[in-house]
Amino acid sequence: MLDFYSISGEGIKKETRKGNWLAVSNPTEDEKEQLHNDYDLPKKFFSLGENYSNVSFFKKYQTEDKDPICLMLFINIESIDEPELLSSTVTIFLTSEVLITVSESPLIDEVLENYKSDITTKAGLILHTLQVINSHYLAFLRKQRETIEEISQGTSNGSNKTILEKTTHTEKNLVYIDNLLKEQRKTINHLLESSLVSSDRDLAIEIELQTKQATTSVQIYREMLGSISGLINSMMDNRLNQLMKFLNTASLLLALPTLIFSLWGINTGGLLWRDSEIGSIMVVLLALLISIVSGVYLFKKDYDA
């Protein structure tokens, strides 16, 4: 789908044909051929985002006719629940005459809904698009913070399978977002240092602060989650140690009556109560008494002292 717009000091106006901003979403082969002929674009330009979905990129080129062109790739997460499965690349092709964006329609709709009256230049459109992309990352990180708080509360009640699964899933998401942000921050820094956004320095500073906040937050949350994971591992080790202590104690208590019964089963003379009518009961009572005394002693003994 091709949507034509005009960007001027009066804002953004939608056009039926031509304009200085072309928003492309899921173009057909005929539309790709049309754009290739109209704007002399490489045919592979429209598949860059599909082939390199987790890569951010910024590069300025000088063409043979001395007209500079710029190619940018930015990574947008479309879902804060499954960012790895639902992320897309926004491809931007900028010339002196036209700005072409290749992205999912919801992103462009969100940019227009929030900033349509504020966009008066092509650089402003790029920066406001980045502002929306950064807001998606910050919303995702806020949700991860809430999840980390839930995990922290869960560990106070003891670790369980749900907490472990949630911890693993959150850690995986943070690792993925951390690498995306590191990659994208380099691209954004190149853009902000270029002359393309010289007329929108205030907005550029805000974009830079948003990007820095996102990269700093993800590092903090990863360290917080790492501390909680260490606590969960320690709790599991302690629980395993307690279980092994109980099992070893139980094994020892079961071994004592077995030993006594084995001794009284020796077919030789001299054993106590051998010829008594209540000898068997006395042996059982003796084994029971020794087991009770040993059990009380073992369970009260402090092995950490």
Side-chain angles (χ1 to χ4, degrees), residues 114-212:
N114 295 331
Y115 304 109
K116 185 175 182 179
S117 59
D118 299 329
I119 299 174
T120 57
T121 63
K122 288 182 283 188
L125 173 62
I126 297 173
L127 291 175
H128 281 298
T129 301
L130 279 175
Q131 196 171 16
V132 171
I133 291 174
N134 282 340
S135 70
H136 293 169
Y137 282 101
L138 293 174
F140 165 80
L141 291 173
R142 284 192 294 269
K143 182 169 183 179
Q144 299 312 299
R145 176 59 186 266
E146 295 174 0
T147 304
I148 291 173
E149 292 295 336
E150 293 176 4
I151 294 172
S152 179
Q153 291 293 329
T155 55
S156 62
N157 301 324
S159 59
N160 54 47
K161 182 179 179 181
T162 302
I163 293 296
L164 293 175
E165 289 177 349
K166 189 178 292 186
T167 302
T168 302
H169 181 70
T170 304
E171 189 170 4
K172 182 189 71 172
N173 283 341
L174 288 176
V175 169
Y176 178 71
I177 294 299
D178 187 18
N179 285 280
L180 289 189
L181 286 173
K182 286 179 180 177
E183 179 74 16
Q184 186 138 288
R185 185 174 182 179
K186 298 176 185 177
T187 303
I188 292 177
N189 287 340
H190 285 312
L191 172 63
L192 298 181
E193 291 170 0
S194 70
S195 59
L196 297 175
V197 296
S198 59
S199 59
D200 296 271
R201 297 313 305 174
D202 292 341
L203 182 55
I205 291 174
E206 184 175 352
I207 298 298
E208 186 174 9
L209 290 174
Q210 274 187 330
T211 306
K212 189 172 183 179

Side-chain angles (χ1 to χ4, degrees), residues 238 242 245 301-305:
N238 181 65
Q242 293 296 327
K245 174 183 173 182
K301 183 173 177 59
D302 185 6
Y303 291 95
D304 297 328

Side-chain angles (χ1 to χ4, degrees), residues 71-133:
L71 176 64
M72 289 166 269
L73 300 179
F74 299 106
I75 309 164
N76 177 45
I77 53 175
E78 301 174 30
S79 170
I80 61 177
D81 296 314
E82 296 290 342
E84 188 173 1
L85 299 178
L86 294 175
S87 63
S88 62
T89 301
V90 181
T91 309
I92 299 176
F93 193 81
L94 177 64
T95 69
S96 57
E97 297 180 356
V98 65
L99 169 68
I100 300 176
T101 59
V102 182
S103 65
E104 299 295 330
S105 296
L107 176 65
I108 298 302
D109 293 340
E110 188 175 354
V111 172
L112 292 176
E113 180 181 354
N114 295 331
Y115 304 109
K116 185 175 182 179
S117 59
D118 299 329
I119 299 174
T120 57
T121 63
K122 288 182 283 188
L125 173 62
I126 297 173
L127 291 175
H128 281 298
T129 301
L130 279 175
Q131 196 171 16
V132 171
I133 291 174

Side-chain angles (χ1 to χ4, degrees), residues 264-278:
W264 254 267
I266 299 175
N267 295 320
T268 58
L271 290 176
L272 191 62
W273 307 314
R274 176 184 176 89
D275 299 321
S276 174
E277 293 182 357
I278 60 172

